[in-house]
Amino acid sequence: MNLTEQVEQALETIRPYLIADGGDVAIEEITAENVVRLRLLGNCGSCKMSFMTMKAGIEQAILKAVPQITAVEAINLAEPV
């Protein structure tokens, strides 16, 4: 399984919770430095809690499941309140 498939598999563990709130997440790219760049979709892209969702949920799920990943970034993250 390649790196993108591993990250996608990790996202599947949290995706049902995002979808339940009207959002989702998509992989934009995985850089040469193994940084995952994500796009938050639907309500996740504009929600004021998206920073917490990103840090406490999405980022942790990816880092735990795919140790080769060095960082996780959202390219359209709402500013933390």
Side-chain angles (χ1 to χ4, degrees):
M1 188 180 314
N2 70 32
L3 209 52
T4 301
E5 291 168 334
Q6 291 177 57
V7 171
E8 195 62 52
Q9 190 173 44
L11 289 174
E12 286 302 320
T13 66
I14 196 162
R15 189 167 268 136
Y17 304 104
L18 301 175
I19 291 171
D21 285 335
D24 203 354
V25 62
I27 300 170
E28 282 291 314
E29 72 172 321
I30 299 176
T31 70
E33 296 80 25
N34 287 348
V35 175
V36 176
R37 300 193 72 218
L38 302 172
R39 178 174 300 278
L40 300 175
L41 306 171
N43 288 342
C44 289
S46 59
C47 175
K48 293 191 184 321
M49 293 302 293
S50 61
F51 180 77
M52 288 302 296
T53 299
M54 179 64 190
K55 285 298 185 188
I58 298 169
E59 181 180 63
Q60 291 306 308
I62 293 171
L63 294 176
K64 181 178 177 185
V66 192
Q68 307 92 295
I69 297 301
T70 58
V72 180
E73 302 172 348
I75 62 171
N76 62 329
L77 188 63
E79 290 299 316
V81 177

